[in-house]
Amino acid sequence: QVQLVESGGGLVQPGGSLRLSCAASGFTLDNYAVGWFRQAPGKEREGVLCINNKDDNTRSSDSVKGRFTISRDNAKNTVYLQMNSLSPEDTAVYYCATHKFSLFPITCDMRESSYDYWGQGTQVTVSP
């Protein structure tokens, strides 16, 4: 069964850090480009970061550039989202998703329509 499970969310103070995990089961995550998305209350879901399937290059939204990074641990079949210098504006439910599969190199994008498997999300709350 194909499954993505996010973990690592929680409550953190402004300026703090969190690392989210996206663990895959039923398939090899390294074969896929992966994206992290978030949805704040009352707002549409937005792309945050993504990582290519072949060369592990990444793409970041302007809102998190320089603060968030994405990485893989292939041995653990997991992708991480490291979040630093968090602010209340980062409060949201965070989702990971796998890009539609391709045998060819994919330059990842952050359009929801490009992704077909999604995790259930993990809540991140940034508050004093």
Side-chain angles (χ1 to χ4, degrees), residues 20-91:
L20 306 184
S21 300
C22 172
S25 59
F27 67 104
T28 302
L29 196 56
D30 187 36
N31 292 332
Y32 292 80
V34 177
W36 280 97
F37 295 77
R38 67 184 181 185
Q39 187 166 22
K43 294 186 177 181
E44 293 186 353
R45 189 156 55 186
E46 63 169 344
V48 175
L49 275 162
C50 64
I51 186 166
N52 292 347
N53 59 337
K54 299 295 185 183
D55 59 17
D56 283 355
N57 284 337
T58 65
R59 176 172 292 185
S60 173
S61 68
D62 289 341
S63 61
V64 305
K65 195 166 293 183
R67 300 188 298 124
F68 291 11
T69 57
I70 186 173
S71 62
R72 297 181 185 270
D73 185 335
N74 295 331
K76 295 183 178 180
N77 211 26
T78 298
V79 169
Y80 299 101
L81 179 66
Q82 177 67 45
M83 305 185 295
N84 300 325
S85 301
L86 285 161
S87 72
E89 289 70 33
D90 296 314
T91 295

Side-chain angles (χ1 to χ4, degrees), residues 5 87 94-95 117 126 128:
V5 178
S87 72
Y94 284 73
Y95 301 88
Y117 289 108
V126 184

